[in-house]
Amino acid sequence: MKAPILKGKEIILKPIKTSEAGNYLRWFNDPEINRYLTIDGKQLNLVKEIQYIKNALKSKTKYNWAIYTSNMHIGSTGLELNFQHNKATWGIFIGEKDYHNQGLGTDTLKMILNFCFKRLKLNRVELGVFSYNQRGYRCYEKCGFKFEGVKKQAILKNGKYIDEIMMGILRKDYLKK
Ligand SMILES: CC(C)(COP(=O)(O)OP(=O)(O)OC[C@H]1O[C@@H](n2cnc3c(N)ncnc32)[C@H](O)[C@@H]1OP(=O)(O)O)[C@@H](O)C(=O)NCCC(=O)NCCS
């Protein structure tokens, strides 16, 4: 689905476009970014990435945004909607490492939650985060996500099993804040 433009304090979210494919490829192949993601950068190439973006734009269940700050493209965020259960799974990466730890992930997430609960009127948003991703965990916790459990060894990456922490936020708790 074509994602609407969303504006936060420091961030603007715009629908992803094929001209950004080179950046995504570069970030997916950066081991310091890739270690937090399920995607395997080695299996990607520019043609596949452009096709992924085209498919995402046509999808009836996915919103994919590019994250920009001061006209700089720094990452991406997306939602996969589950209409049957009135919920979504959310994901993010800021690929430009110089932009980590500046509150931009938090700013992005606040916009996404506002979109999910106020505009889409969802009941729940959920996510999975690798057990060693303390920065991600802290960012999500700050925005209201709660720890819901651990899927032991749910991810196999570079020959190692990783525990995945499941987090969620309910509409009723979001609206109370
Ligand atoms: C995870 C990510 C989206 C967070 O965005 P961000 O803009 O870097 O994070 P923010 O600055 O908004 O918030 C980070 C918080 O974690 C804290 N933090 C940073 N490193 C930490 C660590 N090692 N342990 C604990 N907390 C940490 C920060 O201090 C901050 O909390 P505070 O505001 O209470 O001080 C971003 O870092 C990123 O994309 N990383 C690479 C890919 C990735 O991890 N994607 C997510 C996969 S689930």
Side-chain angles (χ1 to χ4, degrees), residues 110 113-115 117-118 143 169-177:
K110 283 186 177 160
L113 291 178
N114 184 63
F115 177 70
F117 292 123
K118 298 266 176 71
C143 295
I169 178 168
L170 298 184
R171 173 185 180 75
K172 65 179 173 59
D173 295 328
Y174 176 80
L175 295 178
K176 255 190 245 161
K177 282 207 325 170

Side-chain angles (χ1 to χ4, degrees), residues 32-34 36-37 90-95 99-107 127-130 132-140 142:
E32 285 178 55
I33 300 298
N34 190 270
Y36 300 112
L37 307 178
W90 175 71
I92 183 171
F93 64 90
I94 295 175
Y99 290 79
H100 288 166
N101 285 320
Q102 294 180 24
L104 301 179
T106 303
D107 196 17
L127 63 84
V129 54
F130 295 176
Y132 51 71
N133 192 350
Q134 290 165 325
R135 182 177 50 214
Y137 187 91
R138 174 72 195 127
C139 172
Y140 314 148
K142 257 194 328 183

